[in-house]
């Protein structure tokens, strides 16, 4: 018998705290569908970047579970999100992943929509047809410091705590004015939670990521980073220059600014900047690294010379689409101001290594030998944070849902 909401609630309630999750939460189809409906269908998800759609009519498409959303720059310069589903008989409208259009035209019977989603034309419909109430169905959209977020819920959950905190940190980096230098897309054969968990710890870094470890050090107390003199000094320097620093640890996100180790300026193999032109003109270039994560869809790192964002979207109960995006200054020229390989090799390798680790993790979880095991309370504290957040959020949503049904 397929598992249902009640089974999921029992698994979430009965799990052992500080241990990995019961097997069905990583590989059961019905429980995966509940993740899609309750979490990815209702939480705020990183869609992309404002610099992907600088001009009116530029759009990109993002698929979240079974839903597909067109994110488009409208005539007035705003960012809009619409279900990629025609209001005539429901055809998918945009096949292209991105593009530019004056109107969004359904390829089936050529109904066309303005960039604000209103139905512009429904060719040769019967007399008396008005098209009223047949605009594209909108999704909630919010931008933070050049990043674009979507929420498919009727009533989106509060986003202001996250948006306010992150907005301040991102503001000086001017990501809305940047450009995408490189993108990778990879389907990882693992449940999205396996991929998320892997992204939240560096316990595996010493053996898993030799290249990343050349510049990526976690040798400070996460609970009290200001105890570290180098971190405290950077925060003081930033504050004096009016640049947001410090650490904000939210329930479903964290953002912090920390310095690189001595002699390191960026996340590259040699530790030198990859891009000659900085993302933004800051009062000093040794701004360190902005580290940011938000559950369930992303983490990002912003440096003086580039930013790398890692987005995880479910594409099946054991399949996750990982998209990595590198942003650089809009006027930086490839081959002159930066070399693409130098820019991307550390995170590209790291992301490939993580895919292997997650897939191997999933294969082990799927066997009869799997029982939940203990997280490292120091080195996997962010995995614990993620899993606790997941379990509590799902329990709340399921309880509310079950009450609604009762
Ligand atoms: S389904 Fe889109 S025009 Fe017919
Ligand atoms: Fe990793």
């Amino acid at each position: 018998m397929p598992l249902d909401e009640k089974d999921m609630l029992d698994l979430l309630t009965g799990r052992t705290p500080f241990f990995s999750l019961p097997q069905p939460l990583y590989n059961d189809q019905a429980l995966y569908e509940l993740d899609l409906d309750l979490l990815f269908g209702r939480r705020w998800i990183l869609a992309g970047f404002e610099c992907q759609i600088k001009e009116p009519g530029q759009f990109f498409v993002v698929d979240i579970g079974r839903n597909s959303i067109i994110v488009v720059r409208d005539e007035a310069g705003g960012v809009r999100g619409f279900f990629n589903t025609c209001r005539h008989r429901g055809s998918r409208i945009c096949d292209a992943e991105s593009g530019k259009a004056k109107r969004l035209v359904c390829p089936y019977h050529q109904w066309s929509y303005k960039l604000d989603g209103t139905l512009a034309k429904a060719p040769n419909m019967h007399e008396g047809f008005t098209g009223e109430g047949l605009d594209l169905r909108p999704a909630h959209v919010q931008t933070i410091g050049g990043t674009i977020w979507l929420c498919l819920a009727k009533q989106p959950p509060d986003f202001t705590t996250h948006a306010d905190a992150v907005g301040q940190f991102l503001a000086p980096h001017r990501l809305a004015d940047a450009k995408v230098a490189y993108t990778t897309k990879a389907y990882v054969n693992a449940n999205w939670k396996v991929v998320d968990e892997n992204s939240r710890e560096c316990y595996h870094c010493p053996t898993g990521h030799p290249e990343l470890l050349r510049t990526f050090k976690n040798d400070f107390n996460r609970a009290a980073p200001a105890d570290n003199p180098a971190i405290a000094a950077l925060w003081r320097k930033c504050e004096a220059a009016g640049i947001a620093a410090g650490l904000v640890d939210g329930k479903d996100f964290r953002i912090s600014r920390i310095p690189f180790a001595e002699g390191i300026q960026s996340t590259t193999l040699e530790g030198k900047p990859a891009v000659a032109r900085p993302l933004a003109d800051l009062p000093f270039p040794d701004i360190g690294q902005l580290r940011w994560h938000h559950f369930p869809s992303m983490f990002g790192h912003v440096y003086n010379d580039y930013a790398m964002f890692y987005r995880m979207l479910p594409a099946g109960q054991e399949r996750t689409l990982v998209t990595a995006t590198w942003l650089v200054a809009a006027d930086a020229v490839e081959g002159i101001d930066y070399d693409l390989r130098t820019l991307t090799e550390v995170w590209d390798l790291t992301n490939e290594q993580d895919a292997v680790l997650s897939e191997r993790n999933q294969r082990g979880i799927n066997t009869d030998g799997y029982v939940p095991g203990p997280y490292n309370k120091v080195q996997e504290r962010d995995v614990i944070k993620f899993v606790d957040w997941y379990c509590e959020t799902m329990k709340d949503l399921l309880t509310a849902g079950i009450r609604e049904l009762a």
Side-chain angles (χ1 to χ4, degrees), residues 1-11 24 27-34 317:
M1 219 166 42
L3 298 179
D4 61 16
E5 283 98 330
K6 172 83 174 59
D7 297 315
M8 190 175 210
L9 207 46
D10 288 347
L11 284 167
N27 68 3
D28 181 82
Q29 170 73 32
L31 301 191
Y32 165 73
E33 300 275 339
L34 287 171
Q317 88 247 33

Side-chain angles (χ1 to χ4, degrees), residues 86 88-91 106 108-111:
C86 182
H88 176 217
R89 279 168 49 205
S91 171
C106 177
Y108 203 171
H109 312 94
Q110 311 302 311
W111 281 30

Side-chain angles (χ1 to χ4, degrees), residues 54-55 70 79 84 90 121 124 139 157-158 172 174 205 221 255 257 303 317 341 349 357 361:
K54 281 186 177 162
E55 292 164 27
I70 306 168
V79 180
N84 189 8
K121 213 167 170 211
N124 304 319
D158 173 64
R174 302 175 44 135
C205 290
N221 177 357
I255 188 156
R257 198 185 291 283
Y303 316 121
Q317 88 247 33
R341 190 181 152 88
L349 272 169
L357 294 170
N361 193 169

Side-chain angles (χ1 to χ4, degrees), residues 103-305:
R103 294 261 194 278
L104 301 169
V105 183
C106 177
Y108 203 171
H109 312 94
Q110 311 302 311
W111 281 30
S112 63
Y113 302 87
K114 291 185 192 167
L115 302 178
D116 64 2
T118 52
L119 178 64
K121 213 167 170 211
N124 304 319
M125 284 295 282
H126 51 268
E127 217 179 287
F129 173 82
T130 64
E132 212 184 303
L134 293 172
D135 299 339
L136 289 179
R137 291 190 57 208
H140 300 279
V141 176
Q142 187 153 346
T143 59
I144 317 175
T147 61
I148 302 173
W149 295 74
L150 285 174
C151 180
L152 309 185
K154 286 194 183 86
Q155 294 289 339
D158 173 64
F159 202 47
T160 48
T161 312
H162 176 242
D164 290 351
V166 170
Q168 288 185 31
F169 277 88
L170 288 182
H173 298 280
R174 302 175 44 135
L175 296 182
D177 299 330
K179 71 170 180 181
V180 174
Y182 193 60
T183 306
T184 58
K185 284 187 169 200
Y187 284 95
V188 179
N189 292 314
N191 181 269
W192 69 271
K193 292 188 286 295
V194 171
V195 177
D196 256 76
E197 285 188 33
N198 176 70
S199 80
R200 287 300 89 233
E201 51 99 353
C202 217
Y203 189 23
H204 66 267
C205 290
T207 48
H209 302 309
E211 297 81 8
L212 180 67
L213 262 207
R214 290 170 72 149
T215 57
F216 194 96
K217 300 219 168 26
N218 264 333
D219 53 354
F220 63 91
N221 177 357
R222 268 203 184 285
D227 288 351
N228 178 309
I231 295 177
L234 176 67
W235 290 2
R236 275 196 305 274
K237 194 167 146 183
C238 286
E239 273 154 27
I243 292 173
L247 174 149
V248 182
D249 202 0
K251 201 173 163 212
D252 56 359
F253 76 97
R254 184 171 58 231
I255 188 156
S256 62
R257 198 185 291 283
I258 60 165
F260 281 110
E262 191 67 34
I264 304 293
Q265 295 162 284
S266 185
T267 300
T268 56
L269 265 191
E270 302 305 326
K272 298 194 178 73
V275 191
R277 288 170 190 270
L279 271 169
D281 285 326
L282 297 172
F284 47 89
D286 49 342
I287 190 80
Q289 45 191 315
L290 201 55
R291 293 186 185 177
W292 169 28
H293 70 245
H294 183 270
F295 303 148
S297 68
M298 65 78 74
F299 76 83
H301 289 233
V302 184
Y303 316 121
N304 186 48
D305 62 330

Side-chain angles (χ1 to χ4, degrees), residues 302-324:
V302 184
Y303 316 121
N304 186 48
D305 62 330
Y306 80 93
M308 195 287 302
F309 288 92
Y310 185 98
R311 189 188 60 189
M312 301 156 273
L313 290 176
Q317 88 247 33
E318 290 170 39
R319 196 165 151 82
T320 302
L321 174 61
V322 171
T323 307

